Amino acid sequence: MATIIVTENVSIHEDAEKLQKACKGWGTDEKAIINILGHRNAIQRKQIRQAYEELYQEDLIKRLESELSGDFEKAVYRWILDPVDRDAVLANVAIKKAETEFPVIIELSCIYSPEELLAVRRAYQSRYKRSLEEDVAAHTTGDLRKAFACLHHFWWHDIPICNLGAKLHIFFVGLVTTYRYDGPEINETLAKSEADILHEAIKDKIFNHEEVIRILTTRSKAQLKASFNRYRDKHGTSITKMLLKDESNVLQKALHAAIRGIEDPKKYYEKVLRNAIKRSGTDKDALTRVIVTRAEKDLKDLKELYYERNSVALDDAVSKETTGDYKKFLLTLLGKED
Amino acid sequence: MATIIVTENVSIHEDAEKLQKACKGWGTDEKAIINILGHRNAIQRKQIRQAYEELYQEDLIKRLESELSGDFEKAVYRWILDPVDRDAVLANVAIKKAETEFPVIIELSCIYSPEELLAVRRAYQSRYKRSLEEDVAAHTTGDLRKAFACLHHFWWHDIPICNLGAKLHIFFVGLVTTYRYDGPEINETLAKSEADILHEAIKDKIFNHEEVIRILTTRSKAQLKASFNRYRDKHGTSITKMLLKDESNVLQKALHAAIRGIEDPKKYYEKVLRNAIKRSGTDKDALTRVIVTRAEKDLKDLKELYYERNSVALDDAVSKETTGDYKKFLLTLLGKED
């Protein structure tokens, strides 16, 4: 369930006027901005943007960008965009970050529905005039090369290490380009045989990862869950537990995250929140991302899960780790009444 | 331009009745079937199927399958299906064929528009309850392994040969999953730098193919054409000519075909026709595929190109290589009047 408290029957015109007033003159009325936008759903926000444009011949998003700053600005920007557009922006930011872990990409391909991912790919193209996969591919190739260059000391290391970079690259490109079958039909024989393939690959650690990548990037979620279940039946432990044993390897880490996202999206997000909060300095980008993208979907469930797992309310944890308008805005999205 | 001569203002009901009469009792009136279906466009054919179903509570496609046989049956079957459905069938047949060259996949990803490819992927899912990419991926992994197993004699050969199979696999999966940007915008700097990457990769022959694969499977067609042009400017020869020098390698062959499809779809198809016809025994599947898939699009242009290149009319070449109802049907699709 969602967390945001949406005000029904609002006057879109009035909202646009209030936002203009909040931005006008010296200083900005951040509280008014939070009070309005933090209580409007995606459709209302879109209508407000349109009304604002008609009334003031100005792009509300650009105006807010110039008025606000820091984490608060980022959060408002992500919130006010159309959801598919926002996801396109999140993906683009992630790609440019030069990291070898792409949680955004794992979320789009393993948690979003195939149609949702496709909508984000379309939004990405219309915004950047390039495809999502070409940016992921162009970026990961160069960067992973650099990331692994330091390890190229001995010629006999060259092949497996190159392979690791290349495979991580293949994995991410495979994830963003996938258009999984979304029906309920599964093939039980295949689930058993691919559970075995996964087991063999994890045991061997390096050599057969291409099979794991193939399975994770092409099979339907229902089929994958069946394979994970057969894995658990046969080996008495979950596939993620097995993978965890070698978390130093970046590819294993990415595979692990993808499997977790497919197995249980809510648990996956709870862990992202937990890690973001417990990191020294707090991973604000991750915190903002989960709150903004899930506030209209299942953030209430994530809050419950967070409390169960940490014995601390998510609101309280967020309160402790953040400050100012950013904090107020996140808490509003988390459904905290003033 | 199209070749088929479409009869306008036909009575769909009458068509369905005539087809039923052609199939009824002993023997089949193949001539009637050719006369009707060979002069109806995709929309009319769909309406005929629907009218037939309503009138006779029977699937016209299944009925025709039971009445006809051999190459004629295959051609009629491909022709009567909805175009996206037919392409899904063609892809599925290609995947099961256990060949290492997949012209169907190259055509879908390098000649069809991104939206057309997507429509075929949807049709594939609704027909087979699996995604196109999962079948391509599952098939190529196993098969290419087998194809290259014979070469695994010496351990020091193991890596590059495995890589070749793995890369061909990555290439085909990359092709079917791509959703290229379809706009006209190109980046000239990128075109130059990627023309250089392509040149380096082709010179090195094996090691940098992952870059070639990345470029060919993700960039927009406009961008790729710009890169090919810069290649030609700088090296005085086309990239396809350079690749041709090593046609023994299956991956090079596939890369070559993809580049040709992107550069000039009509020339690409003319060559498919030429090779199909000149092969001893004639490659009927390829011949049927090109005629059926292009008859409503650009087969007239392909005929002109074929004549220019071979100094033989395509109709005459097809006449010489085929017989019976199959021949009559192909010639009808080629626009030959009775």
Side-chain angles (χ1 to χ4, degrees), chain A residues 307-336:
Chain A
Y307 184 73
E308 276 173 40
R309 175 67 181 71
N310 303 284
S311 310
V312 176
L314 180 59
D315 294 9
D316 295 339
V318 169
S319 268
K320 218 179 125 196
E321 297 297 326
T322 58
T323 56
D325 298 316
Y326 176 57
K327 167 172 150 180
K328 277 181 215 148
F329 186 56
L330 291 190
L331 291 176
T332 305
L333 297 185
L334 280 160
K336 216 174 158 81

Side-chain angles (χ1 to χ4, degrees), chain A residues 32 46 69 72 150 159 166 207 234 283 290 293 304-305:
Chain A
K46 186 176 189 152
S69 64
F72 179 50
C150 54
I159 300 301
F207 218 71
K234 192 160 175 185
D283 183 350
V290 177
T293 58
E304 282 167 22
L305 215 54

Side-chain angles (χ1 to χ4, degrees), chain A residues 247-312:
Chain A
E247 272 261 325
S248 57
N249 172 327
V250 283
L251 177 59
Q252 303 259 80
K253 267 192 190 172
L255 296 172
H256 185 245
I259 293 173
R260 292 186 62 252
I262 292 161
E263 272 200 323
D264 194 330
K266 286 175 190 167
K267 273 195 183 170
Y268 167 96
Y269 278 121
E270 187 281 325
K271 193 175 177 188
V272 175
L273 287 169
R274 179 160 25 105
N275 287 343
I277 287 166
K278 90 176 171 202
R279 206 181 77 170
S280 87
T282 317
D283 183 350
K284 303 251 175 52
D285 284 346
L287 190 63
T288 304
R289 185 179 83 247
V290 177
I291 292 179
V292 163
T293 58
R294 310 312 294 184
E296 290 180 273
K297 291 180 175 169
D298 53 7
L299 192 52
K300 203 162 201 166
D301 310 311
L302 303 184
K303 277 170 77 169
E304 282 167 22
L305 215 54
Y306 187 91
Y307 184 73
E308 276 173 40
R309 175 67 181 71
N310 303 284
S311 310
V312 176

